[in-house]
Amino acid sequence: MAVSVACLTAASPALAEPADYKALDTEAAHLMAAGKIPGLAYAVIEHGKVAHVSAQGWANIEQRRPLKTDTVMYAASITKAAFGQYVLMLVDDGKLDLDIPIKTYLQKPLPDYDAYKDLVADSRWEKITPRMLMTHTAGFPNFRWLNPDGKLDIKTDPGTRYVYSGEGLNLMQFVIEQGLGLKVGDDMNRRIFQPLGMTRSAMSWRPDFRPNLADGYRQDGKFEAHDERSSVKAAGSLDTTIDDLAKLAAAMVSGQGLSAKAAAERTKASFPIANPHQFPPTYTEVEPANAEIGLAAGIGVVVFDGPQGHAFFKGGHNDITDNMLVCVERGRRCIVLLTNSEVGQRIFPPLVQAALGETGMPWAWEYGRALPVTAP
């Protein structure tokens, strides 16, 4: 495997030749076998253009359905990066200001809405801005149901610490829908998916996805069917394909669909990240090494500075899904990886390095620990 990795990294950052992608596909197959990953779909972006798309393995092992580049897969929290693109479009429109408190957009105080009544005794919500929601610094837990009482609360003062929060992204969606009168799922389809030709992507379930759909597998190999998510959730409801997501990644890294000013907001270090790991969120711990790579929250993504310069990434994970997007601004280069496995992370570090060279991607921060490539 080392030979193919050397071949591919030597090609960086120039556009790789077709033979290099054959080597990358071979490397991916080797890693999948070693890591026991049922299905992997990935795409490489060079110079802001989709250069290679591949799918290997199974969408459903039991039914012997192969994974294809147009197979619908769950994006999980990569949804947040797609939603970030949409939020920045609203900023360009002048409909949204990242640094004006969200109370400006709402017709009544946030706790007066039933979904946010738990905050009635905590006035700190009034300080929350769209930037805080999009950078996980509003102080919310990841999800309220993780609290023992199941109620929503503010863990840290807004704007003071990075605490990963799906609640924050969903509140941003709520503000857009209640305050601006927009339907996020429909508007993302109109403004992002349709213009980019993402014909098999949606923020909620579509019945036409079913004939070519990837199911998922837990770390122990246990099967679990794809969840048909009926409601739009900015924190993680996107169904997509690698063909489609490659187009979005290319648009993001090249700034397509946004003004230069709005595109720069995505990868600006809006707030430094002190946490040693993304999960579980911590409210006091500090990892000094994060500052050495400029680890920080951007809009819908995390940014850092590596051997190839400024870069951004976003992962997406649940019990049957493990995905990753890594982009390097120099050369407008990305790799997008989608798996229908809880442990796709086993093969992400070597595969990202094979495709892009050494990026300095902070894997230990993203996952808390690095799983071995060879499965137990």
Side-chain angles (χ1 to χ4, degrees):
M1 287 190 282
V3 174
S4 59
V5 171
C7 171
L8 287 155
T9 55
S12 170
L15 183 64
E17 296 297 326
D20 294 326
Y21 292 123
K22 289 180 181 179
L24 185 60
D25 287 342
T26 299
E27 179 76 0
H30 290 164
L31 290 169
M32 286 176 65
K36 295 185 179 179
I37 307 302
L40 165 70
Y42 69 91
V44 179
I45 287 82
E46 296 280 359
H47 307 299
K49 304 292 183 182
V50 179
H52 182 65
V53 183
S54 178
Q56 301 186 37
W58 301 104
N60 183 299
I61 297 172
E62 291 75 16
Q63 297 175 5
R64 307 302 286 177
R65 285 194 289 107
L67 187 68
K68 304 176 182 178
T69 62
D70 64 347
T71 298
V72 170
M73 304 180 74
Y74 178 44
S77 283
I78 289 183
T79 305
K80 295 177 175 68
F83 181 64
Q85 175 82 356
Y86 174 64
V87 166
L88 291 172
M89 287 178 166
L90 296 179
V91 170
D92 260 344
D93 292 344
K95 294 179 179 179
L96 197 65
D97 188 309
L98 292 173
D99 299 306
I100 290 179
I102 60 171
K103 65 180 182 179
T104 305
Y105 301 100
L106 297 173
Q107 296 177 0
K108 55 186 180 180
L110 184 62
D112 286 0
Y113 295 92
D114 187 62
Y116 293 96
K117 62 184 179 181
D118 296 340
L119 301 178
V120 66
D122 193 339
S123 63
R124 289 180 295 175
W125 74 266
E126 297 185 29
K127 301 177 182 179
I128 293 173
T129 66
R131 188 184 300 275
M132 292 177 193
L133 296 175
M134 296 304 298
T135 58
H136 305 274
T137 58
F140 294 123
N142 192 5
F143 292 105
R144 67 188 76 190
W145 52 263
L146 294 171
N147 285 331
D149 61 4
K151 294 183 178 181
L152 181 62
D153 62 346
I154 298 175
K155 301 290 188 183
T156 60
D157 288 343
T160 63
R161 188 173 180 87
Y162 178 98
V163 178
Y164 191 86
S165 177
E167 288 284 353
L169 275 288
N170 288 339
L171 175 53
M172 186 70 257
Q173 175 188 341
F174 182 85
V175 170
I176 291 169
E177 294 184 335
Q178 294 292 322
L180 303 184
L182 300 170
K183 292 185 177 180
V184 167
D186 293 344
D187 216 28
M188 287 182 66
N189 182 57
R190 179 181 66 85
R191 303 195 62 174
I192 299 175
F193 303 154
Q194 288 184 4
L196 291 177
M198 297 172 64
T199 59
R200 290 177 58 75
S201 295
M203 289 290 285
S204 59
W205 174 253
R206 282 177 16 198
D208 64 293
F209 289 163
R210 191 172 289 110
N212 186 9
L213 179 73
D215 294 307
Y217 297 87
R218 293 177 177 266
Q219 182 171 351
D220 61 5
K222 183 180 179 181
F223 168 87
E224 187 173 315
H226 186 101
D227 189 357
E228 299 178 5
R229 293 168 176 81
S230 59
S231 60
V232 175
K233 296 293 183 184
S237 66
L238 175 63
D239 278 324
T240 190
T241 70
I242 194 60
D243 280 336
D244 282 5
L245 200 56
K247 296 171 184 176
L248 179 58
M252 289 172 61
V253 78
S254 61
Q256 183 180 345
L258 298 173
S259 68
K261 182 178 180 182
E265 286 286 0
R266 182 192 346 264
T267 56
K268 182 172 75 175
S270 284
F271 197 91
I273 295 175
N275 289 10
H277 307 292
Q278 182 164 226
F279 295 111
T282 60
Y283 310 125
T284 58
E285 292 181 72
V286 174
E287 174 52 68
N290 290 359
E292 297 176 10
I293 62 169
L295 191 68
I299 302 300
V301 298
V302 175
V303 303
F304 68 98
D305 296 309
Q308 299 183 47
H310 202 55
F312 65 89
F313 68 96
K314 185 70 193 82
H317 332 285
N318 69 4
D319 290 341
I320 57 170
T321 300
D322 206 354
N323 306 324
M324 181 57 61
L325 162 68
V326 181
C327 294
V328 177
E329 288 193 336
R330 185 189 302 165
R332 293 170 294 158
R333 309 174 65 232
C334 304
I335 185 169
V336 191
L337 305 116
L338 302 177
T339 74
N340 57 346
S341 167
E342 183 180 1
V343 289
Q345 61 202 272
R346 284 178 177 151
I347 67 173
F348 289 168
L351 197 52
V352 169
Q353 182 161 351
L356 300 182
E358 181 53 61
T359 62
M361 171 68 196
W363 296 109
W365 179 84
E366 173 71 15
Y367 286 103
R369 64 190 180 99
L371 294 180
V373 171
T374 302

